[in-house]
């Protein structure tokens, strides 16, 4: 090993398991120095943990006893452990806390009603505590409430939608977009825009805090539906002017508040004459340059029970602001997941999973199941695809989306009154059980064993950072943060 050039040596080491790397480091001082390589350990960290978890343990001191202590060596002949090996040790410390249910629980906020929107981005949590107030919390360590934002519309029955990304907070009420920018510890209103009006109308929006009277007079007719989401520089929304045939697709620049493009949804499917039934936006987990747009159509008949539905898939390129048609899925597909290179669907029978190529729409592989799949339960995390079917949790290894479903199926507890699940880093999965005793269990997918039980119950709201977790206790409408680092 001593005679190998650095780059080939790194390539060899990246193919070894951690236990093999540790064994190599015990051979000699020179072998230890070779294994003590930042590039190797950085790759291991990013393979096992999310970027958000990694950034958190790098920036925040451990606060869960026993706290993490940086390793030291008393042998002067040995060089200190490299930076990324220490980061790996910190991540393993978080993993051990999950396995032992070693955590602190903090009360974050009370909610005035059962419907709410909650978004977490890095150290910020935003929740709408009622129809027109949003609470902003700093959750870097112990949760601290920073401010309450009063939204522009106070007399509206439409749901308040929240989007947080980087230094901006976007709040949507009805067809009103409100963008706030972070200045120090607080968010300041940057601009307001209307989805379903000309851009010039947005310039006339009053600067006052409450604009109900102006909004009701200007908008005239409120739409029955609005879908919107926020991806970095862009805010993308669908605003209706009556029926779906009059719906407009908008792309906004969140920095300047300018509208980049507006396009009628019907014009997207010019070759399809059937009425538009629904439109869904599916942002990817990785590639923010493209989004999946699913335009769902319906063939009407005299007997509505015989109406048929189907979906046309489009990729929208944000760099060019153009649509590309991919495929037509017949009949209607109720659930769709979009990753960088693939599109995953559950078809109308709710028993078949299919994978499509996101570049050309080609159907790559399908798998039929005996039991009905709950489309709302489907989750993808790394190589794992999970869903609820027939009262069981099924976890498949999709082999890093190489388009081959393996036969490895993990079935957890069955015959429950109900359960929910979510994936964590390190091939861990949480199962919230509702039977005689409500509880949240921590399972290892590698070993297929129960590791620990959390002393809390409720609906789970995971974030990309596995060092912390959020639970909503519906009985008392309270959100709690569970901290594991």
């Amino acid at each position: 090993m001593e005679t190998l050039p650095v780059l080939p040596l790194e390539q060899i080491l990246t193919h070894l398991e951690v236990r093999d790397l540790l064994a190599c480091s015990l051979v000699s001082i020179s072998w230890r120095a070779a294994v003590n390589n930042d590039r190797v350990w950085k790759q291991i960290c990013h393979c096992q943990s999310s970027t958000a978890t990694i950034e958190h343990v790098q920036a925040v001191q451990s606060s869960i006893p026993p706290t993490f202590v940086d390793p030291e060596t008393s042998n002067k002949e040995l060089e200190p452990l490299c930076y990324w090996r220490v980061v790996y040790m910190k991540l393993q410390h978080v993993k051990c806390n999950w396995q032992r249910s070693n955590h602190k629980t903090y009360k974050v906020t009370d909610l005035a009603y059962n419907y709410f929107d909650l978004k977490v981005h890095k150290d910020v949590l935003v929740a709408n505590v009622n129809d027109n107030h949003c609470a902003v919390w700093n959750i870097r360590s112990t949760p601290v409430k920073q401010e309450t934002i009063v939204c522009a519309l106070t007399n509206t029955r439409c749901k308040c939608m929240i989007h947080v990304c980087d230094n901006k907070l976007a709040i949507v009420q009805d067809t009103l977009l409100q963008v706030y920018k972070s200045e120090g510890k607080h968010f300041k209103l940057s601009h307001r825009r209307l989805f379903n009006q000309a851009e010039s109308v947005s310039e006339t929006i009053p600067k006052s805090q409450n604009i109900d009277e102006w909004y009701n007079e200007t908008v005239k007719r409120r739409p029955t539906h609005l879908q919107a989401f926020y991806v970095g520089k862009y805010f993308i929304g669908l605003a209706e002017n009556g029926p779906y045939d009059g719906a407009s697709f908008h792309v906004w620049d969140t920095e300047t508040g300018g509208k980049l493009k507006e396009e009628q949804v019907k014009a997207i499917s010019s070759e399809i004459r059937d009425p538009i039934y629904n439109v869904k936006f599916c942002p990817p987990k990785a590639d923010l340059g493209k989004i999946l747009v699913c335009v769902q159509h319906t063939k009407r008949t005299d007997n509505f029970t015989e109406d048929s539905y189907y979906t046309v898939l489009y990729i929208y390129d944000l760099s060019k602001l153009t649509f590309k048609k991919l495929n037509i899925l017949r009949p209607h597909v109720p659930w769709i997941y979009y990753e960088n290179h693939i599109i995953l669907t559950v078809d109308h029978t709710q028993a078949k999973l299919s994978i499509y190529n996101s570049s050309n729409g080609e159907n790559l592989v399908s798998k039929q199941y005996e039991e009905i799949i709950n489309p709302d339960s489907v989750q993808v995390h790394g190589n794992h695809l999970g869903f609820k079917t027939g009262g069981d949790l099924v976890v498949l290894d999709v082999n890093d989306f190489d388009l081959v479903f393996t036969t490895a199926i993990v079935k957890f507890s069955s015959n429950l009154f109900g359960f929910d699940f979510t994936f964590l880093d390190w091939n861990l999965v949480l199962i919230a059980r509702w039977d005689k005793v409500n509880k949240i269990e921590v399972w290892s997918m590698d070993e297929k064993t129960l590791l620990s039980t959390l002393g809390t119950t409720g609906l789970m709201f995971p974030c990309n950072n596995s060092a912390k977790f959020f639970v909503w206790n519906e009985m008392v409408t309270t959100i709690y943060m569970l901290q594991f680092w």
Side-chain angles (χ1 to χ4, degrees), residues 388-406:
K388 293 190 287 187
T389 174
D392 294 317
L393 169 59
V394 177
V395 179
L396 299 177
D397 185 348
V398 292
N399 211 9
D400 199 22
F401 296 130
D402 69 351
L403 316 179
V404 177
F405 284 108
T406 71

Side-chain angles (χ1 to χ4, degrees), residues 456-476:
T456 187
T457 62
L459 299 179
M460 301 181 294
F461 288 87
C463 61
N464 292 329
N465 182 357
S466 291
K468 58 186 67 173
F469 200 78
F470 299 91
V471 176
W472 174 44
N473 190 319
E474 187 177 7
M475 299 301 294
V476 294

Side-chain angles (χ1 to χ4, degrees), residues 148-164:
T148 297
I149 296 176
V150 181
C151 304
L153 301 180
T154 60
N155 185 22
T156 176
R157 296 181 180 179
C158 292
K159 297 177 181 178
C160 174
M161 293 184 288
I162 301 168
H163 307 266
V164 184

